[in-house]
Amino acid sequence: MEPDYRLEDLPLATPDDDPRWGEYRDLFDRAFLTGRSSEKMVAHFRRFRRDAGATMGMVTAECPDRDGRRIVAGFSCAPYTHNAGAGVVDTFVLNTIAVSPAHRRRGLLRRLMHHHLQRILEAGYPTAVLTASEGTIYGRFGFGPTLGTRTTVIDARRFGYAEGVELAEGTIEFCRPQALVEDYDRV
């Protein structure tokens, strides 16, 4: 890692008004070109990470456009369980991983992965599970697909509504997840 970069954690006890929460979320918005998060999205992200007991790793760097450091890479992981085929085992799920486009190809992802996987191993977890949009880049860390593709054909002509079942009115619409923030807890 270049000397300008510093590996840090964003503690879950960080006050809600700390600007690093929004900056952490903005990192993912920039990396995945989704537009900037609203305050409600940042609040939801913060609550979700706290509820999960997540570890929020980050790499910061001095930035010339402001006084202080900026988050340029982030990594979130949280304890979980999964069915390993012979039973449920403790694991850590790794997700919400990104490197700012201006800081890619400098070993930041590798540094975050090695650091956090070592912490997970030292904590005694036998497995780690990764959810990623670009899974192929994580093979070098030992991750690979657990499921292949399977095609199932369903003959829908046999389906119908059971007698006596009242049908709800309405329609189904697809929308961006941000549109559901206000209704998330209710749903």
Side-chain angles (χ1 to χ4, degrees):
M1 221 159 56
E2 296 179 24
D4 185 43
Y5 294 116
R6 187 181 305 154
L7 184 60
E8 303 176 38
D9 281 337
L10 179 61
L12 296 178
T14 300
D16 290 358
D17 61 352
D18 188 304
R20 291 179 296 172
W21 284 110
E23 189 177 326
Y24 199 94
R25 181 63 202 192
D26 285 346
L27 166 70
F28 301 102
D29 295 335
R30 278 193 318 275
F32 296 105
L33 306 173
T34 59
R36 198 160 197 178
S37 291
S38 67
E39 286 298 319
K40 285 183 181 182
M41 285 299 295
V42 172
H44 172 73
F45 176 75
R46 184 175 49 244
R47 187 182 76 232
F48 180 69
R49 298 287 74 202
R50 284 177 174 160
D51 288 350
T55 297
M56 312 253 311
M58 59 187 176
V59 175
T60 63
E62 290 288 338
C63 291
D65 66 331
R66 60 184 253 177
D67 185 29
R69 303 187 70 79
R70 169 170 281 156
I71 301 170
V72 296
F75 180 103
S76 177
C77 59
Y80 204 67
T81 60
H82 78 277
N83 187 331
V88 175
V89 297
D90 291 329
T91 192
F92 250 76
V93 63
L94 289 59
N95 56 23
T96 322
I97 303 168
V99 177
S100 173
H103 295 269
R104 290 186 180 152
R105 314 221 43 85
R106 298 179 189 190
L108 303 182
L109 170 66
R110 180 179 39 79
R111 178 78 173 113
L112 281 166
M113 289 293 286
H114 283 282
H115 175 75
H116 289 286
L117 288 173
Q118 185 63 39
R119 287 169 79 175
I120 291 166
L121 184 64
E122 289 170 1
Y125 285 84
T127 60
V129 175
L130 171 73
T131 59
S133 60
E134 293 182 54
T136 57
I137 65 175
Y138 297 97
R140 60 189 161 157
F141 303 110
F143 292 101
T146 57
L147 300 174
T149 304
R150 187 166 98 189
T151 302
T152 302
V153 178
I154 298 173
D155 182 359
R157 294 175 296 182
R158 296 182 25 216
F159 286 90
Y161 296 105
E163 290 184 34
V165 173
E166 187 176 324
L167 300 179
E169 293 187 24
T171 60
I172 296 174
E173 294 291 336
F174 293 95
C175 62
R176 293 177 52 124
Q178 291 89 338
L180 303 173
V181 169
E182 292 180 22
D183 297 310
Y184 182 81
D185 290 330
R186 183 179 57 81
V187 173

